[in-house]
Amino acid sequence: MSENSTTTQWRTIPILPSVSIVETLDFWAMLGYTITYKQTRPYQYGVVERGGYALHFGYIKGMDKHTNSYTGCLVIVKDAAAVYKEFADRFRQHTGKVPHTGIPRISRMKPGATRFTLTDVSGNSVIFVSNSEQDQEVWEEADDQDQSRMMKAWAVARRFRDYKNDDVMAAQTLDVALKHRDGASPLEVAEVLLMRMELAEAIGDEKRAAECRSVLQQLGLNEEDLSHIKERHKTS
């Protein structure tokens, strides 16, 4: 049997768990997927498709969506940022907001990011990733040993925030760097402060956000430099 014929005969289809097939299929349809299979008896099973690929779901009796933190899959797309924008718009249209906490939710996606995580109504984490080498390049930035303390901390925090969805660890990484900011480039300190402010606001730590704003003002950067950094990171 040739390799090509073997490939055509083998097909793997992971099945994601669902607390309710009807609720799950409706959720993905809201995001622009097409429901291609729906069965509620004698057991619940459903399929949604988009871009030529499918997500399969099977009902699990007694499942708690709040403890379903280990199931999911990757979806490789041409442009994750464009998909993120579409999903965010659809959330606003149907729910009036873009949920970054709770279930369902969608992770924040900052400029330059190459992926985001969508947690559906059953707690499945589906990671959408741009199909390019940039995703790996962004990840590897944190491994560069030739960068300054500030930029190293910024890159590591970005890895925590964008790849691991761990805002707390990202914030802690930046706080350690900021404690040793003496002698560092004001522009680099400003970049770290802007990310720390964004994280503080996301976590709901207004006190820390205010502290960062105060330090930022003390750096004495001119408005042009500050505007340039804010534009790159889309921070108001």
Side-chain angles (χ1 to χ4, degrees):
M1 183 180 293
S2 69
E3 181 179 347
N4 287 338
S5 66
T6 301
T7 301
T8 60
Q9 294 184 37
W10 288 64
R11 186 181 181 191
T12 301
I13 303 178
I15 302 173
L16 300 177
S18 170
V19 296
S20 165
I21 287 300
V22 173
E23 184 181 359
T24 297
L25 296 183
D26 286 348
F27 171 78
W28 286 98
M30 181 270 290
L31 294 175
Y33 276 72
T34 299
I35 300 173
T36 56
Y37 186 79
K38 180 179 180 180
Q39 175 178 301
T40 57
R41 294 181 180 179
Y43 58 89
Q44 295 186 34
Y45 194 92
V47 182
V48 295
E49 296 188 22
R50 183 165 179 180
Y53 292 89
L55 294 173
H56 288 237
F57 300 93
Y59 169 70
I60 304 296
K61 184 178 180 180
M63 173 184 166
D64 184 352
K65 61 186 177 182
H66 297 288
T67 61
N68 178 27
S69 57
Y70 298 103
T71 59
C73 64
L74 286 175
V75 178
I76 309 300
V77 297
K78 181 179 180 180
D79 185 349
V83 176
Y84 181 88
K85 182 180 184 306
E86 179 190 338
F87 285 179
D89 289 343
R90 286 178 178 272
F91 269 116
R92 292 190 188 94
Q93 179 182 350
H94 289 87
T95 68
K97 64 178 182 178
V98 181
H100 295 310
T101 59
I103 296 177
R105 64 180 179 272
I106 186 170
S107 63
R108 304 184 321 283
M109 189 173 188
K110 304 299 290 182
T114 54
R115 59 174 57 199
F116 68 91
T117 300
L118 177 74
T119 302
D120 74 1
V121 290
S122 294
N124 296 303
S125 295
V126 181
I127 305 172
F128 291 80
V129 185
S130 292
N131 185 20
S132 70
E133 295 181 359
Q134 183 186 0
D135 184 71
Q136 185 64 26
E137 291 171 355
V138 171
W139 170 269
E140 292 175 351
E141 285 180 2
D143 298 325
D144 183 1
Q145 301 301 318
D146 295 327
Q147 56 190 328
S148 67
R149 177 193 292 271
M150 288 295 116
M151 289 298 93
K152 172 73 172 179
W154 190 92
V156 171
R158 185 184 187 186
R159 179 184 285 182
F160 277 122
R161 184 193 68 185
D162 296 346
Y163 288 77
K164 300 185 177 183
N165 294 321
D166 193 336
D167 287 347
V168 173
M169 281 302 300
Q172 291 177 2
T173 298
L174 297 179
D175 283 339
V176 170
L178 289 169
K179 287 180 180 179
H180 301 87
R181 65 180 181 273
D182 290 347
S185 162
L187 289 174
E188 292 183 355
V189 174
E191 292 213 37
V192 171
L193 284 168
L194 287 172
M195 181 186 284
R196 186 61 183 90
M197 287 163 55
E198 187 269 331
L199 288 166
E201 291 166 358
I203 296 172
D205 187 353
E206 180 53 39
K207 178 181 178 181
R208 185 62 178 134
E211 292 172 350
C212 290
R213 282 193 290 269
S214 177
V215 175
L216 185 63
Q217 293 175 353
Q218 296 170 19
L219 292 177
L221 296 177
N222 61 54
E223 192 59 37
E224 182 179 354
D225 287 338
L226 192 56
S227 296
H228 178 66
I229 296 174
K230 287 182 176 181
E231 177 61 26
R232 285 199 294 120
H233 301 293
K234 300 295 182 183
T235 303
S236 58

